[in-house]
Amino acid sequence: MLWIILILLLFIFQAATILLCEYKRPSKSIAWLSILFIFPIIGFFMYYFIAREYVRRKKVHGHSGEISLDHKLQGAPYQVILDTRNDEGSFLSGEQRLRDWLRQVPRAPITKWNRVDVLTNADVTYEAMLEEIGKAQDHIHFEFYTIRDDAIGRKFQEALIAKAKAGVTVRVIYDGVGSHSLSTAYITSLKRAGIAVEPFLKPLIAFFDKRLNYRNHRKIVVVDGLVGFVGGINIGNEYVGGDPKLGFWRDTHIMLHGDAVYDLQRTFLTDWFFVSGESLGEKRYYPAHSEGEPSFVQVISSGPDARWDAIQEMYFAGLIAAKNRIWITTPYFIPDPSITMALKSAAISGVDVRVILPFKADSLIVQYASKSYLQELLQVGVRVYLYRKGFIHAKVIIVDDLMATVGTANMDMRSFYSNFELNAVMFDPRVISRLESDFVMDLEACSEVVLSEFEMRSLGEKRKERIARLLSPLF
């Protein structure tokens, strides 16, 4: 009898610990409690090592908090941000609430002088990146969630090595989980050429330091502090259709010139400080640029080290500001309750809400979890489309003609709360129109989900969806 009481007390202690640590995230609490019920003790061991709150760790405070005290990384000396006296009339006119919220995002100034080029798919993106890398004179900063040792990876490897041998400073960050298959030989060849290479948490280190659940999902290229890239595309053959299962890969990236590049630079240097301990803030990393046309851009970073869930809150602020349309493209759709309610409220009030999701999935559990949200959205008028040409990996949201965002964050809880992400928010009608054209093009390769047909799926399918949704905060 005594041992039964002890086991019960141990279980109560484990459950209480999860509830107290995850009180801000009820869905995550339920997911981990489910794991604990299914796998007693082992479930708590898993939680302790991979899911405890990242922001509470003293060491990790140094990732954003400590470096923000370094005045050298506060911003570029030449950067022009929104002038409240002169620019408000032309910026989000009539949307004071949204404008005021965006201006409060920490370390994310709304910049004025920019040029934005939308890059559709990886072949165009890789060509532009390699061209700019080839032009580099001073430095190249290269950060990706996934870098593969394949044909595409070796193209970039050769380009970076060539510039390093020519005297250009090259720094590379890769995520230890996303790039777990990257070969030692690949990394060694970069280092031998004089390139500084650092992982953002190797899997084994992350496990024992209890941070395996947190990944650097950012994709950043900055060349000479004057041109930058951000979006959904990593470095690998699959992005040019090399995955036989997924086939054609549809994605979106952007190339930036101007003030917003300084914020990409600052994000990279913040990450570099975290992985290497080296603080870099010289003016060479923030050179003067010559962009003379106004195009407002805001670069927003988020991660489990921050007090704000900045990208999730930006998505929510944009959704509730919509009057005419919300068009979303995302490969992973696991919205939290606030985003779900914002989408439903918009659709009920007559806003044209459309969501493009992949028909083919690279993760079955995520696909089933995504399907679990569809019926309630379809019932209130949200239109859902499944992309059938291949795999769609773009992360794009268009709100009216007010704003559009492209970046690394999916519309799922991992991107909102667990990953380090980076998005660019753009307010230029020309850029929004260009993204709109891509969205319309993608619709032609989609089939629409019909509510009456979707409701007829089997009981087994519905059970899979419920289980996947229950566990989805962990994936």
Coordinates of all heavy atoms in Angstrom, one line a residue, residues 163-196:
K163 N 35.0 33.4 -51.5 CA 35.1 34.8 -51.0 C 36.0 34.8 -49.8 O 36.7 35.8 -49.6 CB 33.7 35.2 -50.6 CG 32.7 35.3 -51.8 CD 33.2 36.1 -53.0 CE 33.5 37.6 -52.7 NZ 33.9 38.3 -53.9
A164 N 36.0 33.8 -48.9 CA 36.9 33.8 -47.8 C 38.3 33.8 -48.2 O 39.1 34.6 -47.6 CB 36.6 32.6 -46.9
K165 N 38.7 33.1 -49.3 CA 40.0 33.1 -49.8 C 40.4 34.4 -50.4 O 41.6 34.8 -50.5 CB 40.2 31.9 -50.8 CG 40.2 30.6 -50.1 CD 40.4 29.5 -51.1 CE 40.5 28.1 -50.4 NZ 40.7 27.0 -51.4
A166 N 39.4 35.2 -50.8 CA 39.6 36.5 -51.4 C 39.7 37.6 -50.4 O 39.9 38.8 -50.7 CB 38.5 36.8 -52.4
G167 N 39.6 37.2 -49.1 CA 39.8 38.2 -48.0 C 38.5 38.7 -47.4 O 38.5 39.5 -46.5
V168 N 37.3 38.2 -47.8 CA 36.1 38.6 -47.2 C 35.8 37.8 -46.0 O 36.1 36.6 -45.9 CB 34.9 38.3 -48.2 CG1 33.6 38.6 -47.6 CG2 35.1 39.2 -49.5
T169 N 35.4 38.5 -44.9 CA 35.0 37.9 -43.7 C 33.7 37.1 -43.8 O 32.7 37.7 -44.2 CB 34.9 38.9 -42.5 OG1 36.2 39.6 -42.4 CG2 34.5 38.2 -41.2
V170 N 33.7 35.8 -43.5 CA 32.5 35.0 -43.7 C 32.2 34.4 -42.3 O 33.0 33.7 -41.7 CB 32.7 33.9 -44.8 CG1 31.4 33.1 -44.9 CG2 33.1 34.6 -46.1
R171 N 30.9 34.5 -41.9 CA 30.4 33.8 -40.7 C 29.2 33.0 -41.0 O 28.3 33.5 -41.7 CB 30.1 34.9 -39.6 CG 31.3 35.7 -39.1 CD 31.0 36.7 -38.0 NE 32.1 37.4 -37.6 CZ 32.5 38.6 -38.1 NH1 31.8 39.1 -39.1 NH2 33.6 39.2 -37.7
V172 N 29.1 31.8 -40.5 CA 28.0 30.9 -40.7 C 27.5 30.4 -39.4 O 28.2 29.9 -38.5 CB 28.5 29.7 -41.6 CG1 27.4 28.7 -41.8 CG2 29.0 30.2 -43.0
I173 N 26.1 30.4 -39.3 CA 25.4 29.8 -38.2 C 24.5 28.7 -38.8 O 23.7 29.0 -39.7 CB 24.6 30.8 -37.4 CG1 25.5 31.9 -36.8 CG2 23.8 30.1 -36.3 CD1 24.8 33.0 -36.1
Y174 N 24.4 27.5 -38.2 CA 23.5 26.5 -38.6 C 22.8 26.0 -37.4 O 23.4 25.9 -36.3 CB 24.1 25.4 -39.5 CG 25.1 24.6 -38.7 CD1 24.8 23.4 -38.0 CD2 26.5 25.0 -38.6 CE1 25.7 22.7 -37.3 CE2 27.4 24.3 -37.9 CZ 27.0 23.1 -37.3 OH 28.0 22.4 -36.6
D175 N 21.6 25.5 -37.5 CA 20.9 25.0 -36.3 C 21.3 23.5 -36.2 O 21.3 22.7 -37.1 CB 19.4 25.1 -36.5 CG 18.6 24.6 -35.3 OD1 18.6 25.3 -34.3 OD2 18.1 23.4 -35.3
G176 N 21.6 23.1 -34.9 CA 22.0 21.8 -34.7 C 21.0 20.7 -35.0 O 21.3 19.6 -35.3
V177 N 19.7 21.0 -34.8 CA 18.6 20.1 -35.1 C 18.3 20.1 -36.6 O 18.3 19.0 -37.2 CB 17.4 20.4 -34.2 CG1 16.2 19.4 -34.6 CG2 17.7 20.2 -32.7
G178 N 18.0 21.3 -37.1 CA 17.7 21.4 -38.5 C 18.8 20.9 -39.4 O 18.5 20.4 -40.5
S179 N 20.0 21.0 -39.0 CA 21.1 20.6 -39.9 C 21.9 19.4 -39.3 O 23.1 19.3 -39.4 CB 22.1 21.8 -40.0 OG 21.5 22.9 -40.7
H180 N 21.1 18.5 -38.6 CA 21.7 17.4 -37.9 C 22.5 16.5 -38.9 O 23.4 15.8 -38.5 CB 20.6 16.6 -37.2 CG 19.7 15.9 -38.1 ND1 18.6 16.6 -38.6 CD2 19.6 14.6 -38.6 CE1 17.9 15.7 -39.3 NE2 18.5 14.6 -39.3
S181 N 22.1 16.5 -40.2 CA 22.7 15.6 -41.1 C 23.9 16.2 -41.8 O 24.6 15.6 -42.7 CB 21.7 15.1 -42.2 OG 21.2 16.2 -42.9
L182 N 24.2 17.5 -41.5 CA 25.3 18.2 -42.2 C 26.6 17.5 -41.8 O 26.9 17.3 -40.6 CB 25.3 19.6 -41.8 CG 26.3 20.5 -42.5 CD1 26.1 20.6 -44.0 CD2 26.3 22.0 -41.9
S183 N 27.4 17.1 -42.8 CA 28.6 16.3 -42.5 C 29.7 17.1 -41.9 O 29.8 18.4 -42.1 CB 29.1 15.7 -43.8 OG 29.7 16.7 -44.7
T184 N 30.5 16.5 -41.1 CA 31.7 17.1 -40.5 C 32.7 17.6 -41.6 O 33.3 18.6 -41.4 CB 32.4 16.1 -39.6 OG1 31.5 15.6 -38.6 CG2 33.6 16.7 -38.9
A185 N 32.8 16.8 -42.7 CA 33.7 17.2 -43.8 C 33.3 18.6 -44.3 O 34.1 19.4 -44.7 CB 33.7 16.2 -44.8
Y186 N 32.0 18.8 -44.5 CA 31.4 20.1 -45.0 C 31.9 21.2 -44.1 O 32.4 22.2 -44.6 CB 29.9 20.0 -45.1 CG 29.2 21.1 -45.8 CD1 28.8 21.0 -47.1 CD2 29.0 22.4 -45.1 CE1 28.1 22.0 -47.7 CE2 28.4 23.4 -45.8 CZ 27.9 23.2 -47.1 OH 27.3 24.3 -47.7
I187 N 31.7 21.1 -42.8 CA 32.0 22.1 -41.9 C 33.5 22.3 -41.8 O 34.0 23.5 -41.8 CB 31.5 21.8 -40.5 CG1 29.9 21.7 -40.5 CG2 31.9 22.8 -39.4 CD1 29.3 21.0 -39.3
T188 N 34.3 21.3 -41.8 CA 35.7 21.4 -41.8 C 36.3 22.1 -43.0 O 37.2 22.9 -42.8 CB 36.3 19.9 -41.7 OG1 35.9 19.3 -40.5 CG2 37.9 20.0 -41.7
S189 N 35.7 21.9 -44.1 CA 36.2 22.6 -45.3 C 36.0 24.1 -45.2 O 36.8 24.9 -45.7 CB 35.5 22.0 -46.6 OG 34.1 22.3 -46.6
L190 N 34.8 24.5 -44.6 CA 34.6 25.9 -44.4 C 35.6 26.5 -43.5 O 36.2 27.6 -43.7 CB 33.2 26.1 -43.9 CG 32.0 25.7 -44.8 CD1 30.7 25.9 -44.1 CD2 32.0 26.5 -46.1
K191 N 35.8 25.8 -42.4 CA 36.8 26.3 -41.4 C 38.2 26.4 -41.9 O 38.9 27.3 -41.6 CB 36.7 25.4 -40.1 CG 35.4 25.5 -39.3 CD 35.4 24.7 -38.1 CE 34.2 24.8 -37.3 NZ 34.1 24.0 -36.1
R192 N 38.6 25.4 -42.7 CA 39.9 25.5 -43.3 C 40.2 26.6 -44.2 O 41.3 27.1 -44.4 CB 40.2 24.1 -44.0 CG 40.5 23.0 -43.1 CD 40.7 21.7 -43.9 NE 41.0 20.6 -43.0 CZ 41.0 19.3 -43.4 NH1 40.7 19.0 -44.7 NH2 41.4 18.3 -42.6
A193 N 39.1 27.1 -44.8 CA 39.2 28.3 -45.7 C 39.1 29.6 -44.9 O 39.2 30.7 -45.5 CB 38.0 28.3 -46.7
G194 N 39.0 29.5 -43.5 CA 39.0 30.7 -42.7 C 37.7 31.2 -42.4 O 37.5 32.4 -41.9
I195 N 36.6 30.4 -42.6 CA 35.3 30.8 -42.3 C 34.9 30.5 -40.9 O 35.2 29.3 -40.4 CB 34.3 30.1 -43.3 CG1 34.5 30.6 -44.7 CG2 32.8 30.4 -42.9 CD1 33.8 29.8 -45.8
A196 N 34.3 31.4 -40.2 CA 33.9 31.1 -38.8 C 32.6 30.4 -38.8 O 31.6 31.0 -39.4 CB 33.8 32.4 -38.0

